[in-house]
Amino acid sequence: MLAHFGHQHWWPGETPFEICVGAILTQNTSWTNVERAIANLKSAAVLDPEKLFALPEAELAQLIRPAGYFNVKARRLRSFLRVLVEEFSGELPRLFAGDTTTVRTRLLTINGIGPETADSLLLYAGGHHSFVVDAYTKRIFSRHHWCSTDADYDTVRSLCETALNEKPLPRRLDYWKDYHAQLVMVGKHFCRKGQPRCKDCPLRPLLPQ
């Protein structure tokens, strides 16, 4: 995958906080739409925990409208901001402080943050070794018979973290970030839900015979 696509330098974002906002907004939409929503927040000069939390929910919803499901996402974003601002003084390092299991549990208690979003926050914004599993990952793995089609999130996540632990810790964080990004690229361009392009896929040699 790396030879085919090159390093993806994912997740795009100028700050860890911007990455957190993007991870919440990208639920059920394309990244292009998220970029437009974040651009709106930057233009309004509110891409800051306290400023964003101070916005009325209706105003926030309109700013993130390009991301789709904007009313739902405004509530979810405010749920995250409420914890960040009221419990951790708006300081991400404090939110992400502690061992990975503890911080992951902390994030999962926030309304609207499920396992995939929590792991995205942990890996890309918090510097924790927590692999992100998305629909692309499950589709690729099941088609290669690396997991069953009905494998749950934590099963696939555990499989990835166990199989991809050969790098030393200082290098593993970037390795996991880019590995997830590479799987996204394969899923988008080759291992599509309908009409997969197996013939041209860089993972074709790994398909079961």
Side-chain angles (χ1 to χ4, degrees):
M1 293 186 294
L2 184 61
H4 186 91
F5 295 111
H7 197 294
Q8 294 300 295
H9 304 288
W10 191 260
W11 193 293
E14 295 179 0
T15 65
F17 180 67
E18 183 179 329
I19 291 172
C20 290
V21 172
I24 294 170
L25 294 183
T26 200
Q27 296 171 356
N28 302 305
T29 194
S30 70
W31 184 251
T32 302
N33 293 333
V34 174
E35 287 180 321
R36 291 167 58 204
I38 289 179
N40 285 350
L41 297 176
K42 288 182 176 180
S43 295
V46 293
L47 195 54
D48 168 89
E50 286 82 4
K51 291 178 181 178
L52 210 54
F53 187 51
L55 282 181
E57 188 172 306
E59 186 175 344
L60 174 59
Q62 287 306 308
L63 286 170
I64 65 171
R65 191 182 186 96
Y69 303 99
F70 49 92
N71 288 319
V72 172
K73 290 182 180 180
R75 288 194 295 272
R76 291 176 177 177
L77 190 52
R78 282 187 57 80
S79 294
F80 171 74
L81 291 167
R82 181 174 292 106
V83 172
L84 177 60
V85 172
E86 295 184 349
E87 298 183 26
F88 298 94
S89 303
E91 299 176 15
L92 279 177
R94 290 184 58 193
L95 174 66
F96 289 123
D99 64 89
T100 301
T101 300
T102 299
V103 181
R104 190 172 192 265
T105 300
R106 181 183 299 154
L107 293 172
L108 288 172
T109 62
I110 301 173
N111 183 47
I113 293 186
E116 182 182 338
T117 302
D119 290 328
S120 297
L121 297 176
L122 286 164
L123 182 65
Y124 290 104
H128 284 269
H129 292 86
S130 195
F131 198 85
V132 181
V133 172
D134 56 21
Y136 294 130
T137 306
K138 293 187 70 174
R139 186 188 307 152
I140 293 165
F141 279 34
S142 64
R143 284 177 173 171
H144 284 81
H145 297 178
W146 298 334
C147 74
S148 63
T149 55
D150 60 353
D152 61 25
Y153 183 95
D154 287 331
T155 297
V156 181
R157 175 173 167 264
S158 178
L159 171 63
C160 292
E161 293 187 355
T162 301
L164 302 175
N165 67 355
E166 74 276 13
K167 304 285 187 185
L169 284 176
R171 294 174 54 199
R172 194 179 303 170
L173 196 64
D174 179 72
Y175 179 48
W176 283 11
K177 288 178 181 180
D178 194 55
Y179 207 105
H180 168 244
Q182 299 290 340
L183 289 170
V184 170
M185 293 297 285
V186 169
K188 285 172 63 176
H189 297 286
F190 297 103
C191 199
R192 298 180 297 195
K193 189 173 184 179
Q195 298 181 322
R197 297 174 55 212
C198 299
K199 180 181 177 182
D200 302 315
C201 180
L203 297 185
R204 183 185 179 189
L206 302 179
L207 280 171
Q209 301 301 316

